[in-house]
């Protein structure tokens, strides 16, 4: 694979990347106090060979949480922890973006401050949705989500401000870019989709109204970082956690046009296959996205080097994000470039735990695996 564009530099907004192999955001649930520590420093610096690391989803506030042991960015301690992670990545010559997260209704009172209800665009429970909670005996595991309450109209600006403050902290921590998580049936995706947004105020009904809150978030964080250092993650056709949408393609195209006007650095489109089946895009969708958005287009979802190169060659993608392959192969770009064997990740260690299945996967040394 040494003669492919997958390993050539790319200008993503105002950030120069050494290659087009992106590390996708991966929740690993290894920060019991929500503060990144030494373990996260090692984990991320090991993967600094990526063109860009996109961090695990990071809660913007205490009420944004739906999963215990996930990091945050609303306290001084969290900011300092992330600063050490960023410094470790930069010391290895890497680049890293912080993904900003609010789960919305994918939560439970056990995870929320003072046992309050999770929030959502509408008071609709996600059928089949589960979050990750800590039980009274100290163990943790999946649990059905609660029925949320609908956000009042005057509460939404406060959440926008939470995003802005998270961006301020991320900038102080030294992150190279920000990614706004508007995918995977979490809060911003819930506002975008017809099945989860039944509002009758200015944030519901038409495509323009349903997109208003996510675009207000984008405007808030770009005031801090600059549009050329901000991206957004979308899953326009996903159906998980009870989310459904009657207008996914129209919404994706509307967002692309709005983000083009704002000069956003990139759109990251996820095609997950971990939700009980592949999420596939309609024929011609990628070409029409390219027509509407001139920034970087990242695609993610069960890609290998050959399929990644195909997307780049047909000019429907500029970069390809890899998720699970990066878990078990910290030096994934080099393995893809040289055609070396890839390790399969241990799914039993995806969430929670310690360095096992996190920082102990081997690296290549002269073409052979060596323990990290």
């Amino acid at each position: 694979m040494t003669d492919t564009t997958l390993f050539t530099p790319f200008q993503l907004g105002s950030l120069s990347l050494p290659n087009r192999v992106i590390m996708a955001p991966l929740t690993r649930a290894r920060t019991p106090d929500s503060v990144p520590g030494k373990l996260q420093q090692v984990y991320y610096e090991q993967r600094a060979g990526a063109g860009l690391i996109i961090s695990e989803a990071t809660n913007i506030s205490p009420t944004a949480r739906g999963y215990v042991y996930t990091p945050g960015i609303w306290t001084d301690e969290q900011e300092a922890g992330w600063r050490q992670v960023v410094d470790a990545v930069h010391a290895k010559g890497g680049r890293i973006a912080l993904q900003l997260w609010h789960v919305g209704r994918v939560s439970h009172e056990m995870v929320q401050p003072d046992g309050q209800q999770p929030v959502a665009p509408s008071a609709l429970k996600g059928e089949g949705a589960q979050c990750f909670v800590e039980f009274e005996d100290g163990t943790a595991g999946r649990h059905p989500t609660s029925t949320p309450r609908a956000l009042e109209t005057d509460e939404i600006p406060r959440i926008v401000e939470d995003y802005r403050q998270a961006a301020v902290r991320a900038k102080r921590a030294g992150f190279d870019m920000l990614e706004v998580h508007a995918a995977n049936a979490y809060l911003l995706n819930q506002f975008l989709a017809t099945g989860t947004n039944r509002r009758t105020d200015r944030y519901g009904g038409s495509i323009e109204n349903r997109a208003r809150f996510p675009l207000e978030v984008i405007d808030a964080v770009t005031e801090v970082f600059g549009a050329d250092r901000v991206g957004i993650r979308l899953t326009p056709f996903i159906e998980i956690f009870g989310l459904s949408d009657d207008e996914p393609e129209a919404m994706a195209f509307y967002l692309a046009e709005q983000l083009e006007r704002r000069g956003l650095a990139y759109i990251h489109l996820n095609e997950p296959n971990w939700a009980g089946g592949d999420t596939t895009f309609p024929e011609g969708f990628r070409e029409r996205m390219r027509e509407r958005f001139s920034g970087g287009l990242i695609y993610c979802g069960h890609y290998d080097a050959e399929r990644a190169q195909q997307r780049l060659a047909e000019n429907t993608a500029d970069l390809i994000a890899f998720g699970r392959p990066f878990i078990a192969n910290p030096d994934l770009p080099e393995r893809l470039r040289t055609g070396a064997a890839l390790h399969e990740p241990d799914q039993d260690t995806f969430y929670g735990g310690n360095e096992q299945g996190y920082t102990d996967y081997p690296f290549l040394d002269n073409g052979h695996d060596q323990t990290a």
Side-chain angles (χ1 to χ4, degrees), residues 188 191-194 197 199 201-217 219 245 247 250-255 257-258 261-262:
L188 299 185
F191 270 83
L192 295 172
T194 59
N197 186 341
R199 302 178 71 91
D201 63 359
R202 63 197 298 264
Y203 293 101
S206 67
I207 285 177
E208 293 79 8
N209 280 357
R210 298 198 317 274
R212 189 183 306 278
F213 176 31
L215 289 174
E216 287 177 350
V217 170
D219 291 341
D245 191 0
E247 300 178 306
M251 177 60 82
F253 292 159
Y254 174 76
L255 287 172
E257 291 163 358
Q258 292 298 310
R261 293 177 187 176
R262 288 163 169 79

Side-chain angles (χ1 to χ4, degrees), residues 159-235:
I159 298 181
V160 173
E161 178 61 15
D162 287 340
Y163 275 98
R164 194 188 73 81
Q165 289 295 331
V168 169
R169 288 188 178 278
K171 189 169 186 178
R172 288 201 300 248
F175 281 97
D176 300 292
M177 300 190 95
L178 280 183
E179 179 172 284
V180 173
H181 195 346
N184 295 2
Y186 296 120
L187 181 64
L188 299 185
N189 197 177
Q190 292 160 26
F191 270 83
L192 295 172
T194 59
T196 43
N197 186 341
R198 307 288 177 81
R199 302 178 71 91
T200 57
D201 63 359
R202 63 197 298 264
Y203 293 101
S206 67
I207 285 177
E208 293 79 8
N209 280 357
R210 298 198 317 274
R212 189 183 306 278
F213 176 31
L215 289 174
E216 287 177 350
V217 170
I218 289 293
D219 291 341
V221 301
T222 56
E223 286 179 7
V224 177
F225 256 77
D228 58 356
R229 292 288 178 125
V230 174
I232 189 170
R233 197 176 210 214
L234 303 172
T235 45

Side-chain angles (χ1 to χ4, degrees), residues 30 34 36 76 159 184 202 227 269 305 330 366-367:
R30 280 173 166 82
S34 294
D76 291 343
I159 298 181
N184 295 2
R202 63 197 298 264
L269 290 145
N366 295 322

Side-chain angles (χ1 to χ4, degrees), residues 87-166:
D87 287 348
V89 171
H90 286 168
K92 293 289 187 178
R95 296 149 183 82
I96 184 168
L98 183 68
Q99 190 190 65
L100 302 181
W101 192 26
H102 193 307
V103 302
R105 72 179 191 177
V106 188
S107 188
H108 191 277
E109 284 90 345
M110 285 188 284
V111 186
Q112 292 289 307
D114 302 319
Q116 60 188 273
Q117 266 185 298
V119 298
S122 303
L124 300 169
K125 182 179 173 64
E127 294 303 321
Q130 293 186 321
C131 54
F132 201 72
V133 305
E134 188 172 67
F135 301 107
E136 291 183 0
D137 63 2
T139 63
R142 297 186 183 277
H143 191 281
T145 58
S146 302
T147 300
R149 67 172 182 85
L151 282 163
E152 299 292 338
T153 304
D154 62 4
E155 290 182 286
I156 292 176
R158 296 206 292 271
I159 298 181
V160 173
E161 178 61 15
D162 287 340
Y163 275 98
R164 194 188 73 81
Q165 289 295 331

Side-chain angles (χ1 to χ4, degrees), residues 347-367:
Q347 296 193 28
D348 291 339
T349 60
F350 276 1
Y351 307 112
N354 49 29
E355 64 274 3
Q356 183 182 356
Y358 191 61
T359 59
D360 61 350
Y361 285 105
F363 286 76
L364 284 175
D365 182 16
N366 295 322

